Amino acid sequence: MSTFWSVWVIVLTLANLALVTWVLFANRKVAVDDQEDPENRTTGHIYDGIEEYDNPLPKWWFLLFVLTLVFSAAYLVIYPGMGNFKGLSGWTSVGALKADQAKAQAEFKETFGQYVDMPIEKIAESREALKMGARVFANNCAVCHGADGGGNYGFPDLTDSDWLYGGSPEKILETLHNGRQGLMPPQGPVIGEAGVKNVAEYVLSLSGSEHNADMAAQGQKIFGTVCMACHGMDGKGNQALGAPNLTDDIWLYGGTREEIQHSVRGGRSNNMPTQKDKLREDKIRLVAAYVYSLSRQEDVQQ
């Protein structure tokens, strides 16, 4: 705060306190003085037949206001409230926040701290840890991936064994820490509308879906020159790039003919935000263990 505004705040605050004090004490005396009728204490104002008396506040009520003024003055001396004057106590809202955070961290450390250095596989073996991980997941991840981790349109299903960037504990932690930026560049301007339809037919054939064989044959040639760099010649994807496997009939944006054509024609862009600036390391590891356990359940069932 600049010196000008600091002085402005101080002057206004003191002026208001002085005005309130004057009003309080000025009304301690009866102002009405009727020489003809000394017992008359009315102000002369009448409302619906009700006369207004000029009586001072009761003493106990008056003293309460005095105590309020004394408290206000003491508060402004001890705590910040007068411009740039920090108060004799040195209290600040930032300092109070940090103290509360430190206290909370100490309390949380007893519950969550044990998981900071524990391997993800080990955390995933603890039912109590998975319950905590599930709650953190529900508060931070379920809006995109669903309450059960089953995913949504454009957001991966975390309960299967199909991973864009890998499903090992290390890769899951990497995703949570740093986030992911997925990009499928639009190919429509490159290969034309006929090429888009042909490639879509070939992609359908990779997953064993119903397709036009002649168009798929044409699309295979285009796929080998344009799409192979990311998805591989066999279409099984590349986890280093986050390129999905096109042969398993698991689709992020849908596997119908029209949806595949849309992906090829206009491309896709997706973002998994980083969590390291939002969650503590212990909570990230709990979420990682929970996500790891979701995919392991399918492996066990298989």
Side-chain angles (χ1 to χ4, degrees):
M1 185 184 298
S2 66
T3 301
F4 170 80
W5 289 112
S6 176
V7 173
W8 179 260
V9 170
I10 292 173
V11 170
L12 283 181
T13 302
L14 293 178
N16 277 278
L17 283 176
L19 178 61
V20 171
T21 302
W22 176 80
V23 170
L24 180 63
F25 281 89
N27 284 277
R28 283 295 292 161
K29 297 181 180 180
V30 176
V32 174
D33 185 10
D34 190 342
Q35 299 294 335
E36 297 180 1
D37 185 5
E39 297 299 324
N40 178 28
R41 298 297 186 185
T42 64
T43 63
H45 299 156
I46 300 176
Y47 306 93
D48 293 332
I50 302 174
E51 294 182 288
E52 179 184 356
Y53 279 82
D54 184 33
N55 293 327
L57 287 173
K59 185 175 182 180
W60 66 269
W61 200 343
F62 169 77
L63 291 177
L64 283 178
F65 279 113
V66 172
L67 288 174
T68 301
L69 292 172
V70 172
F71 173 82
S72 300
Y75 180 92
L76 292 173
V77 171
I78 298 173
Y79 295 100
M82 300 280 285
N84 290 331
F85 177 63
K86 297 181 179 180
L88 299 180
S89 67
W91 181 92
T92 64
S93 58
V94 174
L97 174 62
K98 290 183 177 179
D100 289 341
Q101 288 177 331
K103 182 180 178 181
Q105 291 284 3
E107 293 178 356
F108 289 146
K109 188 174 182 180
E110 296 181 6
T111 304
F112 297 100
Q114 58 182 311
Y115 303 112
V116 173
D117 300 317
M118 188 181 296
I120 299 301
E121 298 90 338
K122 191 69 175 178
I123 300 176
E125 295 175 1
S126 169
R127 294 186 61 183
E128 185 64 28
L130 291 181
K131 288 181 181 179
M132 289 188 286
R135 289 193 290 268
V136 179
F137 181 92
N139 290 332
N140 297 275
C141 314
V143 66
C144 293
H145 294 284
D148 60 352
N152 286 303
Y153 183 80
F155 300 99
D157 182 349
L158 304 177
T159 65
D160 57 26
S161 56
D162 184 66
W163 297 88
L164 291 175
Y165 296 93
S168 67
E170 294 74 21
K171 285 296 181 179
I172 295 174
L173 279 175
E174 183 181 311
T175 298
L176 289 169
H177 281 136
N178 304 320
R180 300 291 186 182
Q181 182 63 57
L183 176 64
M184 158 71 182
Q187 301 299 328
V190 178
I191 62 179
E193 185 60 24
V196 167
K197 293 180 178 180
N198 289 335
V199 168
E201 293 300 319
Y202 177 65
V203 172
L204 285 170
S205 72
L206 290 175
S207 60
S209 301
E210 182 180 346
H211 63 280
N212 183 303
D214 294 334
M215 294 178 67
Q218 295 297 319
Q220 183 177 10
K221 299 176 183 178
I222 301 174
F223 188 94
T225 57
V226 177
C227 314
M228 178 188 68
C230 294
H231 294 283
M233 191 61 194
D234 55 2
K236 292 187 176 180
N238 186 341
Q239 291 184 349
L241 301 175
N245 183 354
L246 305 176
T247 67
D248 56 9
D249 201 27
I250 296 176
W251 305 94
L252 192 59
Y253 292 97
T256 66
R257 177 174 283 102
E258 292 74 17
E259 288 169 325
I260 295 174
Q261 288 179 4
H262 182 76
S263 295
V264 175
R265 181 185 302 111
R268 298 290 186 179
S269 179
N270 210 347
N271 176 57
M272 157 70 185
T274 175
Q275 300 298 313
K276 65 181 179 182
D277 298 328
K278 183 179 180 181
L279 299 176
R280 300 192 311 268
E281 179 62 23
D282 47 14
K283 289 190 175 183
I284 287 179
R285 297 184 74 84
L286 285 170
V287 172
Y290 176 69
V291 171
Y292 178 71
S293 72
L294 291 178
S295 63
R296 292 289 295 171
Q297 289 175 9
E298 183 185 74
D299 293 340
V300 171
Q301 292 172 358
Q302 292 177 347

PDB file of all heavy atoms in Angstrom, residues 65 151 156-157:
ATOM      1  N   PHE A  65     -21.168   0.605  24.858  1.00  0.00           N
ATOM      2  CA  PHE A  65     -20.612   1.331  23.716  1.00  0.00           C
ATOM      3  C   PHE A  65     -19.207   1.833  24.014  1.00  0.00           C
ATOM      4  O   PHE A  65     -18.328   1.827  23.142  1.00  0.00           O
ATOM      5  CB  PHE A  65     -21.529   2.503  23.345  1.00  0.00           C
ATOM      6  CG  PHE A  65     -22.707   2.108  22.514  1.00  0.00           C
ATOM      7  CD1 PHE A  65     -23.995   2.187  23.010  1.00  0.00           C
ATOM      8  CD2 PHE A  65     -22.533   1.663  21.217  1.00  0.00           C
ATOM      9  CE1 PHE A  65     -25.081   1.820  22.240  1.00  0.00           C
ATOM     10  CE2 PHE A  65     -23.613   1.291  20.428  1.00  0.00           C
ATOM     11  CZ  PHE A  65     -24.892   1.363  20.940  1.00  0.00           C
ATOM     12  N   GLY A 151     -13.886 -44.094 -17.224  1.00  0.00           N
ATOM     13  CA  GLY A 151     -13.662 -43.175 -18.321  1.00  0.00           C
ATOM     14  C   GLY A 151     -14.925 -42.555 -18.883  1.00  0.00           C
ATOM     15  O   GLY A 151     -16.047 -42.932 -18.530  1.00  0.00           O
ATOM     16  N   PRO A 156      -9.684 -41.537 -20.875  1.00  0.00           N
ATOM     17  CA  PRO A 156      -9.388 -42.982 -20.859  1.00  0.00           C
ATOM     18  C   PRO A 156     -10.076 -43.753 -19.733  1.00  0.00           C
ATOM     19  O   PRO A 156     -10.266 -43.238 -18.630  1.00  0.00           O
ATOM     20  CB  PRO A 156      -7.866 -43.025 -20.692  1.00  0.00           C
ATOM     21  CG  PRO A 156      -7.379 -41.694 -21.158  1.00  0.00           C
ATOM     22  CD  PRO A 156      -8.457 -40.717 -20.801  1.00  0.00           C
ATOM     23  N   ASP A 157     -10.417 -44.985 -20.032  1.00  0.00           N
ATOM     24  CA  ASP A 157     -10.897 -45.953 -19.053  1.00  0.00           C
ATOM     25  C   ASP A 157      -9.680 -46.471 -18.292  1.00  0.00           C
ATOM     26  O   ASP A 157      -8.744 -47.003 -18.874  1.00  0.00           O
ATOM     27  CB  ASP A 157     -11.607 -47.090 -19.787  1.00  0.00           C
ATOM     28  CG  ASP A 157     -12.191 -48.127 -18.838  1.00  0.00           C
ATOM     29  OD1 ASP A 157     -11.888 -48.095 -17.627  1.00  0.00           O
ATOM     30  OD2 ASP A 157     -12.947 -48.991 -19.316  1.00  0.00           O
TER      31      ASP A 157
END
